């Protein structure tokens, strides 16, 4: 009778220990899963930020090219005005003294 009680206690203790081990493993798995989920979300957020920054860089490059082109047109226009105006013509002081 006594060996049956001892055997029953050992089985309960063993079962309790197995359940505790399983609970610990499940808790550890849950922590790992939460960490993986957090990291995945962080990676996705960083990818979106990178995409936004890349689009912004492209827009700035395009605007820069547009402004360079406009500056060239304005520079050429100013040169044409200056060459057409007598105010900006070079003077030859020797020929005026004659």
């Amino acid at each position: 009778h006594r060996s049956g009680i001892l055997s029953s206690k050992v089985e309960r203790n063993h079962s309790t220990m197995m359940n505790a081990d399983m609970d610990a493993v499940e808790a550890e798995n849950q922590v790992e899963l939460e960490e993986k989920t957090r990291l995945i979300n962080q990676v996705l957020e960083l990818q979106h930020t990178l995409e936004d920054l890349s689009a912004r860089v492209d827009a700035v490059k395009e605007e820069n090219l547009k402004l360079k082109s406009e500056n060239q047109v304005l520079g050429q226009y100013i040169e044409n005005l200056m060459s057409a105006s007598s105010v900006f013509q070079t003077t030859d002081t020797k020929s005026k003294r004659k």
Side-chain angles (χ1 to χ4, degrees):
H1 177 70
R2 221 179 127 113
S3 66
I5 294 173
L6 268 175
S7 175
S8 178
K9 282 184 181 181
V10 168
E11 285 177 19
R12 277 193 306 248
N13 286 342
H14 183 64
S15 176
T16 302
M17 288 172 59
M18 283 182 55
N19 285 341
D21 288 344
M22 288 175 58
D23 289 345
V25 168
E26 285 180 26
E28 187 176 318
N29 287 343
Q30 183 65 29
V31 168
E32 286 180 12
L33 182 61
E34 288 172 1
E35 179 67 9
K36 284 180 184 178
T37 302
R38 186 187 68 76
L39 289 173
I40 288 170
N41 288 335
Q42 188 176 11
V43 166
L44 291 173
E45 184 180 333
L46 289 171
Q47 282 179 338
H48 291 225
T49 301
L50 181 59
E51 288 171 359
D52 292 344
L53 288 172
S54 180
R56 179 70 180 131
V57 165
D58 290 343
V60 168
K61 281 181 180 179
E62 191 175 314
E63 182 69 16
N64 186 29
L65 288 174
K66 180 181 168 188
L67 291 173
K68 278 184 178 180
S69 175
E70 289 176 6
N71 282 344
Q72 286 178 340
V73 170
L74 289 173
Q76 186 63 49
Y77 178 71
I78 290 169
E79 280 183 35
N80 291 342
L81 286 176
M82 288 172 53
S83 66
S85 172
S86 61
V87 174
F88 296 105
Q89 296 299 318
T90 59
T91 56
D92 188 2
T93 55
K94 290 180 182 176
S95 63
K96 287 191 175 183
R97 288 187 184 171
K98 285 185 181 178

